[in-house]
Amino acid sequence: MDQIQHKFVDVRGGLKLHLADIGSGPNVVVFLHGFPEIWYTWRHQMIAVANAGFRAIAPDYRGYGLSDTPAEPEKASFADIITDLLAILDALGLDKVFLIAKDFGARPAYLFAIFHPERVLGVVTMGVPHIPPGPSTYHKYLPEGFYISRWQEPGRAEADFGRFDAKTVVRNIYILFSRSEVPIAAENQEIMDLVDPSTPLPPWFTEEDLAAYGALYEKSGFRTALQVPYRSFGEDLKLPDPTVRVPALLIMGVKDYVLKFPGIEDYITSGKVKELVPDLEIIYLPEGTHFVHEQSPDEVNQLILSFVGKHV
């Protein structure tokens, strides 16, 4: 971890975004995190690709971790991530890169490949396939206590999270998202109440890891993180065409709770997902949860290196 360098890049709005950076190869891999993650979630992958001769870069999105928080976090959007990513590539003089994304990071990765295909060599996503942007409909099929519905409600998650320190919030979400069931609260409880304080961390996530996350979220808080992704899913990005025309790989854990979202498993297994990503390979990890890259880093690292090696 000591060999990972840290720097800042200026982007639109006068903000400085934090980047973790390792390696010096001519081919570059950019990692995009999800929630409750941060650049640190890619620690295993960054070192692996750097050791294989690639340069690895992992930003914290605006309002996350060590990056500056926008003046109005409630106006942050997926469009910001896309323009920030372009600014990062331009600032570093990077012509074409691979994008590796997890969870909601899949959306800006695929969108960036749609808007700027000339800058993307290929896309790897974990836990989330390419789904065309638009209003979320999951709330129509899931109870009121569905975690995304709760977190979309202004003030609800802020009050729920506000009862705990940042480290405890991250701990609870890591435990919840490591399970194979969709997090759904009862009428009289909040999402944080779904985790008993005595529940241990997943065996692949250490107290040291949790402390690193906690310190980063103590700095940034959760205001921007609740806006993007949870309150920005319906934004209209005026896509010219939702088809992704670069090579892509989707890595899904069979025990990932996202597969229980209405229609998602069928969307992937039926091959319908390939209608919008024609050059897509899908790999399932039998024991994988929503955090396959941290749970099974060696296996995921090998899949990433195999993919980028084929498309470099």
Side-chain angles (χ1 to χ4, degrees), residues 12-304:
R12 182 173 52 83
L15 302 180
K16 289 186 181 298
L17 297 194
H18 166 255
L19 309 179
D21 191 349
I22 182 173
S24 57
N27 299 302
V28 181
V29 180
V30 177
F31 293 90
L32 303 176
H33 63 78
F35 178 80
E37 295 134 350
I38 217 83
W39 78 265
Y40 183 86
T41 196
W42 298 113
R43 58 201 179 280
H44 306 300
Q45 286 69 44
M46 293 186 73
I47 291 170
V49 300
N51 288 342
F54 294 85
R55 183 179 180 186
I57 296 167
D60 290 337
Y61 304 136
R62 56 173 61 200
Y64 278 79
L66 298 176
S67 290
D68 286 349
T69 297
E72 298 179 279
E74 291 73 21
K75 292 185 179 178
S77 67
F78 278 99
D80 290 333
I81 299 179
I82 296 165
T83 56
D84 288 348
L85 180 53
L86 184 62
I88 290 168
L89 300 191
D90 288 346
L92 299 179
L94 303 176
D95 182 34
K96 298 186 93 166
V97 300
F98 289 98
L99 297 177
I100 315 292
K102 154 77 173 43
D103 186 62
F104 86 82
R107 176 171 285 195
Y110 279 125
L111 290 171
F112 191 85
I114 291 169
F115 284 113
H116 305 286
E118 74 287 352
R119 307 295 292 269
V120 181
L121 290 163
V123 176
V124 179
T125 66
M126 292 158 225
V128 175
H130 175 44
I131 301 170
S136 172
T137 59
Y138 297 129
H139 64 280
K140 296 179 181 177
Y141 307 101
L142 291 167
E144 173 274 336
F146 174 46
Y147 78 99
I148 290 180
S149 298
R150 288 285 183 88
W151 290 351
Q152 286 177 335
E153 187 180 330
R156 183 97 184 230
E158 287 86 342
D160 185 14
F161 292 6
R163 298 177 293 155
F164 307 95
D165 61 19
K167 190 166 86 165
T168 302
V169 173
V170 173
R171 173 187 174 276
N172 288 352
I173 297 172
Y174 251 80
I175 291 170
L176 278 178
F177 285 8
S178 297
R179 296 171 179 170
S180 59
E181 298 302 320
V182 178
I184 296 174
E187 257 186 71
N188 61 345
Q189 68 178 170
E190 299 300 325
I191 300 300
M192 289 292 103
D193 299 329
L194 291 172
V195 179
D196 187 287
S198 65
T199 305
L201 287 168
W204 39 263
F205 193 70
T206 68
E207 288 291 341
E208 182 183 12
D209 295 332
L210 179 60
Y213 273 78
L216 291 166
Y217 274 104
E218 283 289 350
K219 189 266 179 192
S220 66
F222 295 97
R223 282 180 69 191
T224 314
L226 286 165
Q227 175 63 26
V228 181
Y230 299 103
R231 297 167 188 171
S232 302
F233 281 132
E235 75 181 85
D236 182 7
L237 291 157
K238 297 180 172 54
L239 277 187
D241 174 358
T243 306
V244 176
R245 304 194 185 278
V246 301
L249 169 66
L250 171 63
I251 303 171
M252 287 297 305
V254 172
K255 297 182 178 179
D256 190 330
Y257 73 91
V258 170
L259 288 173
K260 302 271 182 71
F261 281 26
I264 284 291
E265 186 168 15
D266 180 64
Y267 175 67
I268 297 171
T269 58
S270 69
K272 189 173 177 60
V273 64
K274 294 187 179 183
E275 292 177 7
L276 294 178
V277 192
D279 191 2
L280 175 68
E281 180 182 4
I282 304 171
I283 294 177
Y284 295 93
L285 301 186
E287 297 302 313
T289 66
H290 194 54
F291 299 101
V292 288
H293 63 303
E294 291 183 281
Q295 178 187 7
S296 304
D298 292 343
E299 197 170 359
V300 169
N301 293 350
Q302 192 51 53
L303 291 173
I304 290 172

